[in-house]
Amino acid sequence: MRISDIENKSFDLVVVGGGVTGAGIFNEASGRGLKAILLEAKDFAWGTSSRSSKMVHGGLRYLKQGKFLLTKAAVRERERLLKQYPGLVTPLDFIMPVFDHYGPSKASMKIGLSIYSFLAGPKTKNRQHKSFSKAQALELIPGLRKENLVSAVGFKDAQVDDARLVLRLIHEGCLNGGQAFNYTKAESIERNRKGYVTAVNAVDTRTMTQTELKTKAVINATGVFAENLHPSPVKGFHIRPLRGSHLVFPREIYPLDRVISFMHPEDTRPVFLFPWEGSVLLGTTDVDHDRNIDMEPYMSQGEAVYLLIGLKHILPDLDISLDDCIASIAGIRPVLSKKKVKASRESREHVVWKDKGLITVTGGKLTTFHLLAKDALNAAKKYLPKHLEKKQYPDISSHDPNDGAHEVSKAVRERLYGRYGSAAHLILKNYDPKTFSRIENTSTLWAEICYAAEYENVHTLSDLLLRRVRIGLFLPKGGQNLLDDIEILCSPFLPWDKKRWENEKKAYIDLWKTYYAPPGKRNETV
Ligand SMILES: Cc1cc2nc3c(=O)[nH]c(=O)nc-3n(C[C@H](O)[C@H](O)[C@H](O)COP(=O)(O)OP(=O)(O)OC[C@H]3O[C@@H](n4cnc5c(N)ncnc54)[C@H](O)[C@@H]3O)c2cc1C
């Protein structure tokens, strides 16, 4: 359905932006019984929310900056999300070597981690930190730099598939009566003579048809784009787009079962080498993004060199170079800045601006999306009908015993229920041993691609391969050699003729080569 086809165009709330912030607000608002609609100008999770480090964490470094409340809120959210979304938000071990020539000392790490564990609350004993001797550190991190090594510390946080989190929040918001549209931009906001919001003009970016949506409340959750809809009300305080990038390697290069967290030798910023979906990611950077934010961001050669210098320092014997890299991912942090301090020292806290029915919420972290949602809805309260009772979400934690697919392992079922919520039973109901096999070198099932193509508002091949499933990010050449198989499998679900498939495949390959190929192997047309 397109937005112009909606019959009743009056809403309690229009949420603008289909990243994790907008999806979280939409989910919460629909769950509270509000008549909510979400508009996303490009694809769901197209922005920063598909390009993060995928960590659900308190952020140890914020403790160092004295941000106890931010850290506490985030680690409590981590605990909540682990319980609410098993199979999507999963525990992740971290290990961090301690050296005596740079970075935090053993004593300060111990204090920091004790506070970190304490802030997570009394019920998190299993997430307490550990200390490792130098010998244990060398065993746990093969090839670790021996010089000046003192010991290592271990702690637990969590990992999430960021784009799937966004899609699951939207899916549940729709189950609770909300409506969500991708490729639909909030072009402008109408106000009455007193300046109060009365409507949003939405444009379907594929047909360019315009639709007016009546509402008294709009939440602008457009991340780094927030000032396009509402300029900052604070003088000299603006969004500073900061790019963070990751390099993606095949697992064989350094098989990992936990995150290696280390300080970069040049600037002592934390850098992570971590496992994700059968690949190994190295990131991230933190540099000013001075390109057009409307375009796909991409990693610079300088960022790649910086990350590899850091890795070489910590694992000096590892024979790894940019040639081994499969892909790169870049995202832009919506950071609010007044003084333009060093990028990594900018605050990651969110802001909420109120303007007669238009609430803007930006900044923050993936981890704290629910706190942002509550703050934004609280700020919008005056313009919303009295909240109804929170509806009962469909029971997503208990698996449907009648889904029929007894052959499927517990781990696969957990993956499906985590990523697709209650819709997992649809995937399981259509169990077929052929589509329940994994795409080579990934944890993704062919059946997931079919489900996404059929049910998840896919409009381009890159929606499917970069955000519904993620194989475009961790298969060599973006999975180019699978495109014909994907066409055969998905043709029944996508209304594309032969010519459209050819165009989609070409457009996807071009996009991948231009923005996701590793620096140095990219189409340098941008
Ligand atoms: C490299 C990197 C690593 C990170 N790692 C982590 C991490 O490990 N853990 C963590 O907790 N956080 C992390 N973050 C932060 C986190 O990713 C962001 O805070 C979060 O994704 C921001 O979500 P958002 O919804 O506010 O913005 P976005 O995800 O950017 O969503 C905004 C959306 O609004 C849409 N939009 C813009 N204008 C309009 C309009 N007019 N109409 C309709 N739609 C519009 C855009 O297309 C976009 O999709 C990381 C960030 C980066 C850059």
Side-chain angles (χ1 to χ4, degrees), residues 16-22 39-43 46-49 51-55 57 184-186 221-223 225 229 244-246 284 331-334 363-367:
V16 186
V20 75
T21 308
L39 309 177
E40 165 53 52
K42 301 196 180 194
D43 185 28
W46 178 88
T48 314
S49 301
R51 304 158 190 273
S52 77
S53 302
K54 288 130 193 52
M55 288 171 193
H57 62 161
T184 305
K185 185 175 180 185
T222 54
F225 302 88
L229 279 181
S245 304
H246 293 87
T284 171
I332 317 171
R333 297 179 183 87
K365 288 152 56 85
L366 193 79
T367 308

Side-chain angles (χ1 to χ4, degrees), residues 174-225:
C174 292
L175 287 178
N176 278 325
Q179 288 174 284
F181 293 86
N182 51 354
Y183 295 98
T184 305
K185 185 175 180 185
E187 193 66 49
S188 58
I189 291 168
E190 300 290 323
R191 295 173 184 265
N192 63 17
R193 265 187 292 146
K194 289 188 175 161
Y196 288 93
V197 167
T198 56
V200 172
N201 291 314
V203 172
D204 181 323
T205 59
R206 290 165 300 150
T207 58
M208 297 316 283
T209 45
Q210 190 161 320
T211 303
E212 191 186 61
L213 306 170
K214 297 270 182 222
T215 187
K216 288 187 184 141
V218 177
I219 300 184
N220 166 20
T222 54
V224 80
F225 302 88

Side-chain angles (χ1 to χ4, degrees), residues 246-498:
H246 293 87
L247 289 169
V248 184
F249 296 96
R251 185 174 186 277
E252 313 79 77
I253 211 86
Y254 193 80
L256 270 176
D257 62 353
R258 66 189 75 204
V259 182
I260 301 176
S261 165
F262 60 94
M263 300 294 169
H264 197 285
E266 283 176 5
D267 53 10
T268 63
R269 275 190 61 252
V271 176
F272 303 102
L273 184 71
F274 58 100
W276 184 58
E277 287 284 291
S279 58
V280 172
L281 268 62
L282 175 65
T284 171
T285 55
D286 208 354
V287 297
D288 277 302
H289 183 74
D290 44 22
R291 303 179 196 137
N292 180 354
I293 54 170
D294 246 327
M295 309 268 295
E296 293 258 358
Y298 56 92
M299 184 188 215
S300 69
Q301 184 90 26
E303 289 173 272
V305 170
Y306 165 87
L307 289 176
L308 287 169
I309 289 175
L311 188 64
K312 205 80 198 141
H313 183 80
I314 209 85
L315 301 173
D317 299 329
L318 186 66
D319 185 17
I320 197 170
S321 76
L322 211 44
D323 284 341
D324 302 301
C325 181
I326 316 175
S328 63
I329 310 169
I332 317 171
R333 297 179 183 87
V335 168
L336 275 303
S337 168
K338 193 156 189 154
K339 290 190 232 120
K340 267 221 165 186
V341 291
K342 215 168 126 192
S344 58
R345 295 206 60 80
E346 292 281 16
S347 166
R348 270 34 176 179
E349 276 162 289
H350 67 278
V351 293
V352 178
W353 300 327
K354 298 186 224 176
D355 179 15
K356 298 183 174 173
L358 173 61
I359 311 299
T360 296
V361 56
T362 188
K365 288 152 56 85
L366 193 79
T367 308
T368 50
F369 75 86
H370 190 234
L371 304 178
L372 269 70
K374 288 199 289 190
D375 280 1
L377 284 167
N378 211 15
K381 213 167 166 181
K382 217 166 122 187
Y383 309 97
L384 297 170
K386 219 166 166 259
H387 294 180
L388 307 176
E389 273 305 291
K390 187 153 179 139
K391 287 188 190 169
Q392 192 59 48
Y393 284 112
D395 188 0
I396 31 108
S397 52
S398 60
H399 302 174
D400 179 355
N402 300 318
D403 59 29
H406 304 296
E407 300 83 346
V408 178
S409 71
K410 188 167 173 268
V412 168
R413 297 171 81 87
E414 199 156 283
R415 173 188 172 86
L416 294 178
Y417 275 97
R419 281 176 167 67
Y420 304 90
S422 58
H425 79 271
L426 267 182
I427 307 179
L428 288 158
K429 212 172 72 186
N430 293 327
Y431 174 78
D432 172 344
K434 271 197 246 123
T435 55
F436 267 69
S437 61
R438 291 201 163 107
I439 297 171
E440 207 180 334
N441 295 325
T442 79
S443 320
T444 309
L445 306 179
W446 287 100
E448 291 178 62
I449 302 194
C450 298
Y451 168 79
E454 186 167 6
Y455 294 105
E456 292 197 309
N457 297 309
V458 166
H459 296 294
T460 70
L461 201 51
S462 54
D463 297 346
L464 184 63
L465 303 183
L466 298 174
R467 290 173 289 275
R468 301 302 180 281
V469 298
R470 318 301 304 276
I471 57 171
L473 299 176
F474 48 73
L475 283 178
K477 298 192 173 151
Q480 199 174 324
N481 63 335
L482 299 178
L483 297 187
D484 291 341
D485 291 343
I486 291 171
E487 177 182 347
I488 294 169
L489 199 66
C490 295
S491 284
F493 312 120
L494 292 168
W496 299 345
D497 60 17
K498 192 78 201 148

